[in-house]
Amino acid sequence: VTPRTDATQEVAWLSDAQLAEWRSLVALIMTLPPALDAQLKRDAGLNSFEYHVLAALSEAPERWLLMSDLAALAQGSPSRLSHAVGRLEQAGWVVRRSCPGAGRRIEAHLTDEGLRKIEDESPGHVREARRLVVDALTPEQLAALGEAARIIVDAIEPRCTEHLPPPDR
Amino acid sequence: VTPRTDATQEVAWLSDAQLAEWRSLVALIMTLPPALDAQLKRDAGLNSFEYHVLAALSEAPERWLLMSDLAALAQGSPSRLSHAVGRLEQAGWVVRRSCPGAGRRIEAHLTDEGLRKIEDESPGHVREARRLVVDALTPEQLAALGEAARIIVDAIEPRCTEHLPPPDR
DNA sequence: AAAGATTGATGCTTCAATCTTT
DNA sequence: AAAGATTGAAGCATCAATCTTT
C-alpha cells in the first residue's frame, strides 16, 4: 500500500528500515503465540492464558489471589479470567471463595492438584521457551528484546507494568 | 513455580535475568496483539488477520495472489485464510477465481473497493504502530527488536521467512 | 492418489448486560 | 450508586473431515 495524502490526519509513513523492522515484529506476534499455545495445548491440555493463571497463583502468598489482582498479573480482562477460572475450577486445579472487604471481592486459590499440575507442565514450557527464544538469542540480544518489550508494554498500558523491571530509557 | 528435578527430561531452569526478559516478552505478546486488534476493529471493522490479507493483496502484481501464497504471506493456515477471505468477499473487497494449473489452485484478487478500503485504513494503523512501537523506541532499539524477532521467527518456522530480511547472526 | 482449498463443529475471547456487595 | 465479578451471545481460530482437480 502506498500512502495517501489525506488532509484529515497527516501520518508520516514508515521508512524502508522502519517498515522492515515493523514487519519482523508483526511476524513475531503472529507466529510466537501460536507456537507456544500449540506446545501447551499438546503437552498440557492448557492454553497460554490458563497456564499463566496457574503460574501466577503458584507464586502468590499461600497461593491465594484476588480475582482482580490475578487478572492484572495474567494480563487478561475480568471476563476472560472468569471464564478461564471456571474451566480450571472444573478441572479441580483452582477454587474460589468470597472474601470479606469492600466491593464484591473474590479470591482464587491454587489447589494441591493445581500446584502439581503447573509443576508438571512447566519444564516442557521452559524447554520450548529456551528452544524458540532464550537459547536462540545471545544474552545481549535477549536483553535488548526484553528492554524493547518493556517500553512497548509501557506505551500500551502505563500502569500495568509494576511487576516487570522498569524500562530504563 | 520452582523447578522439579524430574529424571525424565532434564531442563535447565532460567536464570533470574533470563526469566525477567522472558516475562517482558510474554507481556509483549499478551498485550500488543490485542492493542493492535482493538484499533483496527474500532476504526476499520477489521481484525488483524483480515487487515494483513488485504495488505498482502494490495502489494501483489495486479493484486492477484494464489490462496496458498496469500496464506504464507499473511502467516495463517489455509483454513483460517478461507474463512477470512469468505468474509472479505462478502464485503466486496476480494474476489476469487479458479486458476488453471496443477492441483486445485485458486487465486484471490483485491477489488477496487478493497484497495480503497486498505488505503483508507492504513494511515490509522500506521499511526498506532508508530505510537506503540516505532516512535516509542530509539532507532537502535527498534533495529535490535527486529533482529531478535527475525531470529525467533526463524527458529519457529525455518522456511517461512523468505519475505523478511535474513537474520544475520 | 495427492495437493489445494473448503466446510462444519468445537472452544476460546470479546462485548454488553447483569448481578452482588458495600 | 459504584466497584467487582459473572453471564450469555456473537465472532473468530483451530482441527478434522471433505471435496475438487490433476
Side-chain angles (χ1 to χ4, degrees):
Chain A
V1 184
T2 43
R4 283 219 311 181
T5 45
D6 227 351
T8 51
Q9 293 245 35
E10 292 295 329
V11 177
W13 205 245
L14 300 181
S15 71
D16 287 351
Q18 287 173 327
L19 187 57
E21 310 302 5
W22 169 251
R23 286 185 166 170
S24 297
L25 176 59
V26 168
L28 176 70
I29 65 180
M30 301 274 287
T31 55
L32 183 55
L36 297 173
D37 267 336
Q39 181 274 319
L40 282 172
K41 191 67 186 162
R42 172 170 42 81
D43 299 342
L46 297 171
N47 64 32
S48 285
F49 187 66
E50 291 162 344
Y51 179 88
H52 288 302
V53 167
L54 296 182
L57 280 174
S58 77
E59 295 178 2
E62 308 290 327
R63 288 140 48 189
W64 282 104
L65 227 38
L66 288 172
M67 289 293 281
S68 43
D69 292 340
L70 183 51
L73 279 171
Q75 327 228 46
S77 66
S79 172
R80 187 182 190 182
L81 180 64
S82 250
H83 288 294
V85 169
R87 297 189 295 270
L88 297 173
E89 201 164 26
Q90 285 265 107
W93 295 321
V94 173
V95 293
R96 276 177 284 199
R97 74 169 180 206
S98 61
C99 124
R104 186 200 179 189
R105 294 178 121 61
I106 292 190
E107 288 181 317
H109 178 248
L110 187 68
T111 64
D112 291 342
E113 295 80 17
L115 181 61
R116 213 172 316 123
K117 175 67 176 174
I118 186 72
E119 284 176 343
D120 283 348
E121 306 301 353
S122 30
H125 189 57
V126 169
R127 183 182 306 117
E128 191 73 345
R130 280 198 172 278
R131 187 174 75 83
L132 299 180
V133 177
V134 177
D135 292 345
L137 302 174
T138 67
E140 294 75 23
Q141 287 172 328
L142 180 62
L145 173 61
E147 178 67 7
R150 286 186 288 276
I151 294 169
I152 295 168
V153 172
D154 197 58
I156 295 172
E157 32 189 357
R159 87 185 65 76
C160 295
T161 50
E162 276 111 30
H163 48 97
L164 295 177
D168 36 83
R169 0 202 254 121
Chain B
V1 186
T2 43
R4 284 217 311 180
T5 46
D6 228 352
T8 52
Q9 294 244 35
E10 291 296 329
V11 178
W13 205 246
L14 300 181
S15 71
D16 287 352
Q18 286 173 327
L19 186 58
E21 311 300 7
W22 170 251
R23 286 186 166 169
S24 297
L25 176 59
V26 168
L28 176 70
I29 64 179
M30 300 276 285
T31 55
L32 182 56
L36 297 173
D37 267 335
Q39 182 273 320
L40 282 172
K41 190 68 186 163
R42 172 170 42 80
D43 299 343
L46 297 170
N47 66 30
S48 286
F49 187 66
E50 291 162 344
Y51 179 88
H52 288 304
V53 168
L54 296 182
L57 280 175
S58 77
E59 296 179 0
E62 308 288 329
R63 287 141 46 190
W64 282 104
L65 226 39
L66 288 172
M67 287 294 279
S68 42
D69 293 339
L70 183 51
L73 280 170
Q75 326 228 49
S77 67
S79 172
R80 187 183 189 182
L81 179 64
S82 250
H83 287 294
V85 169
R87 297 189 295 270
L88 297 173
E89 201 164 27
Q90 285 266 106
W93 295 320
V94 173
V95 292
R96 277 177 284 199
R97 74 169 180 204
S98 61
C99 123
R104 187 200 178 189
R105 294 179 121 60
I106 292 189
E107 288 181 315
H109 177 249
L110 187 67
T111 64
D112 292 342
E113 293 81 17
L115 182 60
R116 212 172 315 125
K117 176 65 177 174
I118 186 71
E119 284 176 343
D120 283 348
E121 306 301 352
S122 30
H125 188 57
V126 169
R127 183 181 308 118
E128 192 72 346
R130 278 198 174 279
R131 186 175 75 83
L132 299 181
V133 177
V134 177
D135 292 345
L137 301 174
T138 68
E140 294 75 22
Q141 287 172 329
L142 180 62
L145 172 61
E147 178 68 7
R150 285 186 288 276
I151 295 169
I152 295 168
V153 171
D154 197 58
I156 295 173
E157 33 190 356
R159 87 185 64 76
C160 295
T161 50
E162 277 112 28
H163 48 98
L164 295 178
D168 37 83
R169 5 201 251 117

